[in-house]
Amino acid sequence: MASSQTWLFRPFQERSTQIFLGVLFSALVLVTFLHLFMPQDSALHVSAYTVTLLGKYLCYALLAVAVDLVWGYLGILSLGHGAFFALGGYAMGMYLMRQIGDRGTYGDPLLPDFMVFLNWQELPWYWLGFDMAWFAFIMVLLAPGLLALVFGFLAFRSRVTGVYLSIITQALTFALMLAFFRNEMGFGGNNGLTDFRDILGFNLRSDASRLGLFIATGVALAIGYVICRGIVTSKLGRVSVACRDAEARTRFLGYRVERVQLFVFVVSAMLAGVAGALYVPQVGIINPSEFSPLFSIEIVVWVALGGRATLYGAVIGAILVNYAKTVFTGVMPDAWLFALGALFVLVTVFLPKGIAGLLQKDRKTDTADDAPAAQEATA
């Protein structure tokens, strides 16, 4: 019991974790205050649209933390984490669709509108249970976790590594995208799942629900960050770094590398699924485009920009890139992909350790500058 408590509470003793959580919860409180108590005609008022947009950024931040866990600390460059994100989103979307009931366009109390339109006669077996919130929330974790478990078991047992593993993860998400585009799969085809109304009995279109989802996403990001910090600062984390830097030597020392890789990979996938589940009710839609390999590549860019193997750097990168995307696509939408590619090249050349590397460098410089002064004062 003592070791589990140490594992759980060790991150709270780190200054970086304290700063991250302090900034995050301060931001949640500030946005909540400005949204609720500032007049709508005030320049300081945060609109419901902005609250939703910020909530989407936090979902992406949690997804980036999940990718950084496997890429930064395990050395696995996953180009398929968009699949885990989308599976969590579809699990939530199926629950939200079941909550519509007979308020849909066709008034069917059991079948979603797209199934009625496609002349489905009964609800598929894999939709059963999604009318219950607890079942849907379990599936948010179980669906991506189970996929990661099966995929990881086969890949890591076969010792597939490096670029080959990256290609396989990308092929996985591409195959799922093609499958979910098919109408006969029963997930809405090209249009996906949309027209959500309620979540846990609350109206999704109300400002209060949007604010609640924003706060819930912030709390989920904090919990996910602490879990990841707990893993990377534990013995498991040290073994993960050893697998990243010298896998053959780690095997020689007697560690079951594939088990370490599998456990961390499954945890990362489940965090990505939670991010997808929180994303869907805020944006109001989930469709197969979330499986796109391009989206998974974008996630890697977020982590690279923010800084690998830092976790908080992944959060910074996700928020900055998506804010830039929001601004840039409003001005020059056709040029965004070129800007994203240029950003990745610039980061690789000039910021190999990302923004977090700059912050760490400045902190080390300040420490070095303070050392002579402290020595003189001691003398």
Side-chain angles (χ1 to χ4, degrees):
M1 184 67 180
S3 60
S4 64
Q5 288 179 344
T6 302
W7 179 83
L8 288 173
F9 291 101
R10 185 183 294 116
F12 294 101
Q13 301 173 1
E14 299 178 323
R15 186 184 178 193
S16 61
T17 301
Q18 294 170 357
I19 294 175
F20 175 81
L21 294 178
V23 171
L24 176 60
F25 285 116
S26 297
L28 294 179
V29 172
L30 179 61
V31 171
T32 301
F33 177 81
L34 295 179
H35 174 70
L36 293 178
F37 299 106
M38 283 294 171
Q40 293 187 3
D41 56 353
S42 172
L44 297 177
H45 176 72
V46 176
S47 65
Y49 169 79
T50 304
V51 169
T52 301
L53 188 63
L54 293 174
K56 185 175 74 170
Y57 292 165
L58 293 181
C59 292
Y60 287 150
L62 179 57
L63 176 58
V65 168
V67 172
D68 192 24
L69 179 64
V70 293
W71 186 27
Y73 295 93
L74 202 57
I76 297 175
L77 177 56
S78 173
L79 298 180
H81 258 59
F84 306 128
F85 178 83
L87 285 176
Y90 266 97
M92 176 59 71
M94 292 165 72
Y95 162 72
L96 297 176
M97 290 295 291
R98 293 295 305 274
Q99 298 307 298
I100 297 175
D102 57 4
R103 293 174 294 171
T105 303
Y106 297 99
D108 193 297
L110 190 62
L111 297 179
D113 283 342
F114 73 89
M115 290 187 181
V116 178
F117 179 78
L118 295 174
N119 295 319
W120 288 62
Q121 300 302 314
E122 60 181 4
L123 197 69
W125 63 267
Y126 46 85
W127 276 76
L128 300 177
F130 279 95
D131 56 329
M132 299 176 287
W134 65 268
F135 179 83
F137 295 159
I138 291 176
M139 293 305 298
V140 164
L141 295 172
L142 187 60
L146 185 59
L147 175 63
L149 181 65
V150 174
F151 174 84
F153 175 77
L154 296 175
F156 301 141
R157 188 187 63 170
S158 303
R159 300 191 182 183
V160 180
T161 58
V163 66
Y164 302 104
L165 183 59
S166 300
I167 292 173
I168 292 175
T169 58
Q170 192 171 58
L172 172 68
T173 188
F174 187 70
L176 287 171
M177 182 185 70
L178 294 180
F180 274 71
F181 265 120
R182 300 174 65 89
N183 287 328
E184 56 267 30
M185 284 289 291
F187 295 106
N190 183 55
N191 296 323
L193 308 178
T194 187
D195 194 31
F196 309 132
R197 309 290 178 86
D198 304 319
I199 181 170
L200 298 175
F202 297 97
N203 182 6
L204 270 177
R205 300 174 185 179
S206 69
D207 292 350
S209 296
R210 295 181 181 182
L211 181 62
L213 286 169
F214 166 74
I215 296 174
T217 306
V219 173
L221 174 58
I223 294 174
Y225 181 89
V226 170
I227 291 174
C228 291
R229 285 304 304 172
I231 291 175
V232 302
T233 56
S234 66
K235 180 180 178 180
L236 175 63
R238 292 192 291 271
V239 176
S240 298
V241 173
C243 296
R244 179 195 69 187
D245 297 337
E247 181 176 332
R249 183 178 299 179
T250 306
R251 291 183 185 277
F252 179 76
L253 292 174
Y255 289 101
R256 299 295 297 271
V257 171
E258 61 275 5
R259 293 185 180 180
V260 174
Q261 292 173 328
L262 184 61
F263 177 80
V264 176
F265 191 70
V266 170
V267 170
S268 175
M270 294 171 73
L271 288 176
V274 172
L278 290 167
Y279 171 86
V280 168
Q282 296 186 80
V283 300
I285 188 172
I286 178 70
N287 58 44
S289 65
E290 304 298 340
F291 286 103
S292 170
L294 179 60
F295 177 58
S296 295
I297 294 174
E298 280 191 36
I299 305 170
V300 173
V301 176
W302 306 344
V303 178
L305 175 64
R308 283 179 58 194
T310 59
L311 296 180
Y312 67 85
V315 174
I316 295 173
I319 294 175
L320 286 182
V321 173
N322 282 285
Y323 174 75
K325 182 177 182 179
T326 300
V327 175
F328 207 89
T329 52
V331 179
M332 299 178 63
D334 296 333
W336 164 244
L337 291 180
F338 297 100
L340 183 64
L343 179 63
F344 185 70
V345 172
L346 291 174
V347 168
T348 303
V349 174
F350 297 105
L351 289 176
K353 294 184 178 180
I355 297 174
L358 285 178
L359 298 176
Q360 292 173 352
K361 182 178 179 181
D362 292 340
R363 186 165 54 188
K364 290 179 180 179
T365 302
D366 293 340
T367 303
D369 291 340
D370 292 341
Q375 293 175 358
E376 292 178 2
T378 304

